[in-house]
Amino acid sequence: MFSEIFSDGIIGRAINENLIDIHIHNIRDFSNDKHLSVDDFPYGGGPGMLMKPEPVFNAVNKIKNDYQIGNTSPIILTSPQGDKLTHNIALHFSEFDEMIIICGRYEGFDERIRQNLATHEISLGDFVLSGGEIPAMAIVDSISRLIPNVLGSDESARNDSFYENFLQFPQYTRPENFQGMTVPKILLSGNHQDIEKWRKTESIRKTLERRPDLINFNQLNEEEKEIYYQILDENSKELE
Ligand code: SAH
């Protein structure tokens, strides 16, 4: 599952350039019993199986030892019960040199893994997937993009949504006129200052419309506050 995703594109290039390093481990290799089982029935009954504590604790301890991972490094449990992955969480994780991500299967984990092994629980969103692999890929991808030099200068994360607590401004590519739908004139003007201003305005407009929760007014600079008031003004005029 992982090799396809991690050998291609931005992540593949980052690995080739030694900017990041990823090791995949099979939890079965850390099972103590002869059937290599990693799951067992829940105490108290109920459907499905749970990930047993031994193989997961064994895996994390061996990996910490083998790769000399310090005790302050995150051990992330993928879980629908965790904190939802956000730009700020990815940014926080991008500051660590190493981390371990644990993928669940079946009905999830024995609670002792959650309480005594994991340092963080991260969810991809309020839905349940069949395994932690896709969340792990999303965590790795979102963190990697924020590590210096992983994105080339032409694809910098600075303009991306969430980077400055705004959604990204609308983007257009050729053709200039597609079936009568045209590109805003200002983007063709060549006036970089005007384009910057337009982008900032549209970015704030979109964020106000869709995700006002992202905007922390006190963190806006003077220019952004001015744009913010101008948009509120336009919106209230529209209502009149
Ligand atoms: N019974 C569990 C869900 C188990 S799903 C519960 O209700 O909490 C099996 C595994 O898939 C989980 O252990 C977790 O590793 C992964 N998973 C499922 N949904 C996820 C989500 N939204 N975010 C992160 N990981 C998830």
Side-chain angles (χ1 to χ4, degrees):
M1 283 176 95
F2 289 97
S3 53
E4 197 73 17
I5 294 282
F6 290 159
S7 61
D8 212 29
I10 288 167
I11 304 297
R13 192 179 63 201
I15 295 171
N16 284 336
E17 291 176 3
N18 292 322
L19 297 168
I20 58 174
D21 200 6
I22 300 171
H23 301 268
I24 315 288
H25 304 271
N26 185 347
I27 200 78
R28 280 191 197 286
D29 298 342
F30 302 90
S31 171
N32 282 338
D33 73 38
K34 62 177 189 297
H35 304 292
L36 303 182
S37 74
V38 294
D39 59 321
D40 211 333
F41 296 99
Y43 277 119
M49 304 293 271
L50 293 176
M51 303 273 297
K52 281 148 60 88
E54 300 94 326
V56 182
F57 273 78
N58 285 347
V60 168
N61 289 334
K62 174 108 190 343
I63 290 163
K64 275 177 85 172
N65 200 39
D66 288 356
Y67 295 93
Q68 299 188 344
I69 294 177
N71 279 331
T72 52
S73 297
I75 299 173
I76 304 169
L77 200 65
T78 55
S79 157
Q81 303 177 22
D83 292 323
K84 266 186 238 172
L85 182 61
T86 61
H87 171 78
N88 283 334
I89 289 180
L91 200 60
H92 173 68
F93 287 142
S94 74
E95 281 158 16
F96 289 91
D97 286 335
E98 63 252 323
M99 67 197 60
I100 295 174
I101 305 175
I102 308 171
C103 302
R105 276 267 154 183
Y106 318 109
E107 287 303 310
F109 299 97
D110 180 290
E111 192 70 12
R112 289 165 288 188
I113 296 171
R114 179 170 274 136
Q115 284 179 344
N116 302 309
L117 188 64
T119 60
H120 298 75
E121 274 186 64
I122 297 295
S123 167
L124 212 53
D126 290 344
F127 43 82
V128 176
L129 297 164
S130 315
E133 295 84 356
I134 292 170
M137 289 174 200
I139 294 168
V140 168
D141 194 325
S142 61
I143 295 173
S144 301
R145 296 173 63 83
L146 300 171
I147 291 172
N149 303 320
V150 165
L151 292 187
S153 57
D154 57 332
E155 48 191 18
S156 142
R158 289 202 147 268
N159 275 334
D160 278 344
S161 293
F162 310 113
Y163 197 87
E164 284 174 331
N165 297 322
F166 299 129
L167 300 179
Q168 192 179 39
F169 44 80
Q171 296 265 60
Y172 298 85
T173 184
R174 286 186 285 189
E176 205 179 304
N177 183 332
F178 172 65
Q179 299 179 352
M181 299 173 265
T182 54
V183 173
K185 287 252 157 358
I186 196 154
L187 297 178
L188 313 171
S189 70
N191 184 330
H192 291 295
Q193 237 177 332
D194 286 358
I195 292 174
E196 275 310 300
K197 179 86 192 274
W198 182 86
R199 286 183 162 165
K200 183 55 79 50
T201 306
E202 295 314 308
S203 189
I204 296 177
R205 189 193 310 283
K206 220 180 208 190
T207 314
L208 264 169
E209 262 169 33
R210 298 185 177 189
R211 295 295 307 279
D213 58 295
L214 292 175
I215 298 183
N216 180 344
F217 187 78
N218 294 324
Q219 277 177 6
L220 303 185
N221 63 32
E222 287 312 310
E223 187 204 10
E224 289 162 353
K225 282 183 181 159
E226 202 175 297
I227 295 172
Y228 178 96
Y229 279 128
Q230 184 193 319
I231 295 169
L232 289 188
D233 218 36
E234 285 170 26
N235 289 352
S236 63
K237 289 219 174 75
E238 260 171 44
L239 285 175
E240 276 167 17

